[in-house]
Amino acid sequence: MKTYFRGAVAAIALTAAAMTSTVAQAADTIKVGILHSLSGTMAISETTLKDVMLMLIDEQNKKGGLLGKKLEPVVVDPASNWPLFAEKARELIEVKKVDVVFGCWTSVSRKSVLPVFEELNSVLFYPVQYEGEESQRNVFYTGAAPNQQAIPAVDYLAQQEGVKRWVLAGTDYVYPRTTNKILETYLKDQLGVAADDIMINYTPFGHSDWQTIVADIKKFGSAGKKTAVVSTINGDANVPFYKELANQGIKAEDIPVVAFSVGEEELAGLDTGPLVGHLAAWNYFMSANTPENADFIKKWKTFIKNPKRVTNDPMEAHYIGFNMWVKAAEIAGTTKPDAVIDAIVGVTVPNLTGGYSAMMPNHHITKPVLIGEIQANGQFETVSSTPGLVPGDAWSDFLPGSKDLISDWRKPLSCGNFNVKTGKCSGKGS
C-alpha cells in the first residue's frame, strides 16, 4: 500500500514537472496567430497567405527569432465562415495566447473580428485591399485603400483607354458595395459620367452561373461608347466569370476588365489565353524586377517546394506587415500590444517593388499603385505605375460623410475618425 502510495506521489510529481516544463517551453516562444480560410469559397485566395506567413516565421527564426525567442505559428481555419472568424480570433488570443494575428481577407471577416481585437486589446495585420471608411487602433491595414487601387484604376481606364461606360461588378458584401459607392460618386462628380452610363451588379459568394450577367454586360457595352468592367468579384466566383467572358467572345480590346481581387494565385487556376489583355490593379506583381523581389520569390519556391507556385500582392502585404511588426517589437523591446502600437507608427521597411513602405499615423501604409495586363503565362505586365508611393487614405475624399475625417492614432489625438471641421473625435474609428 505504502509502495503504491509512493509510486502515485512520484507519478504526480513527474506529471507536475512535465506540465511545468511545457509551460516554460510555451513561455519561451512568441506565438504568431494565422487567421486565414483554408476551406470554403475563400480558400483559393487565403491558403497561400497561411503558407507565406509560415515562410516568414521560418525565415525570422533562422535569423535568431525575435527578442531572444523563437516564433511559433498558430494556425486556425475559419473556413470562409464570417462569424467563425470572430470565434477563431478569440480562440487565438484567449486560449492560444498569441502575441499578434495576421489574417482575414474579406471585409466582412475583418468586420467580424474587430470587436474581439478591441475587447481583448490584441493586434491584427490585415493584408488585403479594402473599402476604407475605417481606422481601428488595434488593426494595421497593409492592403490597399481605395485611393491606392480603385481610384487610380478608374483614372487609368478613363485617361488611357478612353472608357465612357462603366460596369461595377462585385460580390455582395461590404467591400464591393462601399468601394462601388465611392467609385460611382467619383465617376459622376469628378469625371462627369452620366448615371445611364453606369451599370452596377452584385452576386453572392461562390456565384457560378454568369451567362445572363455577362450577356447583360455585353449588351451594355454595345451602345457605341467604350465600356469597361471594374471588378470587385471575390474568391472562386472569378473562375466561372472569366470563363463566361471567353465563352461569349468578350475580349480585352472590346470590354476590358480591371480586377481588384484577381492576382497571380487566382490566375493559376484559369486558362489565361482568353484573358490576355484584361487588367488588374495592385501594389505588387510577381513580375516586379527588383533584387528584393527576386530574393523573395527564390525563398518562397524553396520553402513551398514547388517551382510552379506564384507570389501575389497580399503576400507582399504580409511580408511588409510582418517585418514592420518585428521592427516595432524590437524598438519597443516587447511584443505587448500597447507598446507595439505606439512603436510602429513611422516604421519603414523595404517593399518588393523598390523603395520603403512606411506605417502612417492612420495605421495604413505607403504603397506604389500598379496597373498590369494579364499575360498568357499567368503573369502581369505593368502598363502603368505611380511615380512614387501613395499614402493610404482611411476616409474617402469623395464621400460626404468622410471627406472631413482624418485618422491619427498618435497621442494626444488617438482618434480614428477626427472631424477637422468640428474639431471632435467622432468615435472609435469605423
Side-chain angles (χ1 to χ4, degrees):
M1 190 74 172
K2 289 181 180 179
T3 301
Y4 171 80
F5 179 75
R6 282 195 293 269
V9 169
I12 291 170
L14 285 170
T15 301
M19 291 176 65
T20 302
S21 174
T22 300
V23 171
Q25 287 176 3
D28 286 340
T29 64
I30 294 172
K31 293 185 177 182
V32 178
I34 302 173
L35 183 66
H36 281 302
S37 295
L38 309 180
S39 56
T41 188
M42 292 310 301
I44 185 176
S45 297
E46 293 193 66
T47 300
T48 281
L49 297 190
K50 177 267 295 183
D51 291 337
V52 80
M53 283 305 306
L54 294 178
M55 183 192 85
L56 292 169
I57 290 167
D58 182 65
E59 289 293 321
Q60 188 64 32
N61 281 335
K62 289 177 181 176
K63 298 174 186 176
L66 176 62
L67 303 176
K69 297 181 179 181
K70 290 290 185 182
L71 299 180
E72 177 187 346
V74 183
V75 179
V76 294
D77 177 17
S80 306
N81 180 322
W82 319 133
L84 188 58
F85 268 86
E87 294 179 29
K88 291 296 183 179
R90 187 174 293 275
E91 176 187 333
L92 284 172
I93 300 165
E94 282 192 323
V95 180
K96 305 296 187 180
K97 305 296 183 184
V98 300
D99 294 80
V100 64
V101 176
F102 292 82
C104 299
W105 180 291
T106 65
S107 285
V108 67
S109 67
R110 188 192 70 257
K111 293 285 189 183
S112 174
V113 306
L114 288 183
V116 177
F117 282 88
E118 184 179 0
E119 174 196 342
L120 302 179
N121 193 31
S122 189
V123 173
L124 170 69
F125 282 82
Y126 177 67
V128 184
Q129 83 285 357
Y130 87 120
E131 70 281 359
E133 308 308 294
E134 179 182 301
S135 178
Q136 289 281 1
R137 178 178 179 272
N138 298 87
V139 181
F140 295 97
Y141 307 81
T142 55
N147 74 304
Q148 295 174 308
Q149 185 184 37
I151 297 296
V154 164
D155 284 341
Y156 173 83
L157 288 171
Q159 295 164 12
Q160 303 300 321
E161 300 283 342
V163 172
K164 302 295 183 184
R165 300 202 97 193
W166 304 83
V167 178
L168 308 182
T171 302
D172 193 5
Y173 73 106
V174 62
Y175 161 62
R177 285 192 172 273
T178 306
T179 299
N180 287 341
K181 183 180 179 182
I182 293 169
L183 289 179
E184 184 181 11
T185 303
Y186 183 77
L187 288 169
K188 291 177 178 178
D189 295 351
Q190 303 298 315
L191 301 186
V193 177
D196 289 345
D197 287 329
I198 301 174
M199 170 184 167
I200 303 175
N201 182 79
Y202 295 102
T203 47
F205 277 98
H207 189 71
S208 59
D209 184 6
W210 288 94
Q211 188 172 354
T212 301
I213 296 170
V214 170
D216 289 342
I217 292 172
K218 190 174 183 178
K219 182 179 179 181
F220 185 77
S222 65
K225 296 180 181 179
K226 182 69 174 181
T227 303
V229 177
V230 179
S231 171
T232 47
I233 299 166
N234 228 318
D236 56 10
N238 277 293
V239 176
F241 170 65
Y242 278 99
K243 284 184 177 178
E244 188 58 33
L245 288 176
N247 288 342
Q248 297 197 28
I250 296 178
K251 298 179 180 179
E253 55 264 32
D254 303 322
I255 302 177
V257 176
V258 61
F260 301 158
S261 298
V262 173
E264 292 85 349
E265 184 72 9
E266 289 76 18
L267 290 178
L270 294 171
D271 174 12
T272 54
L275 277 64
V276 170
H278 286 301
L279 305 164
W282 290 103
N283 310 109
Y284 163 87
F285 291 122
M286 185 177 178
S287 56
N289 185 21
T290 65
E292 294 84 1
N293 191 38
D295 182 62
F296 179 75
I297 293 170
K298 181 180 179 181
K299 287 178 179 177
W300 167 243
K301 291 187 174 183
T302 300
F303 176 81
I304 209 69
K305 296 181 175 62
N306 185 347
K308 294 183 179 180
R309 286 288 295 273
V310 296
T311 60
N312 64 15
D313 180 284
M315 291 171 68
E316 191 219 18
H318 263 338
Y319 168 85
I320 293 170
F322 178 79
N323 288 329
M324 284 183 167
W325 172 72
V326 167
K327 195 169 182 179
E330 290 172 343
I331 292 169
T334 178
T335 56
K336 290 182 178 179
D338 288 335
V340 169
I341 290 169
D342 288 341
I344 200 169
V345 172
V347 163
T348 61
V349 300
N351 57 44
L352 298 177
T353 54
Y356 283 74
S357 288
M359 180 63 70
M360 301 186 303
N362 65 1
H363 287 189
H364 293 64
I365 68 173
T366 58
K367 312 187 78 166
V369 183
L370 312 174
I371 310 295
E373 280 189 358
I374 297 174
Q375 305 297 296
N377 63 357
Q379 293 294 313
F380 291 88
E381 179 182 345
T382 300
V383 295
S384 177
S385 61
T386 53
L389 274 63
V390 178
D393 191 355
W395 302 99
S396 175
D397 294 335
F398 307 109
L399 293 181
S402 302
K403 62 183 181 180
D404 296 326
L405 299 180
I406 64 168
S407 168
D408 190 333
W409 287 108
R410 295 170 299 183
K411 297 173 183 177
L413 193 60
S414 294
C415 177
N417 47 15
F418 183 81
N419 191 306
V420 295
K421 283 194 172 180
T422 65
K424 295 181 180 179
C425 187
S426 305
K428 294 181 179 180
S430 64

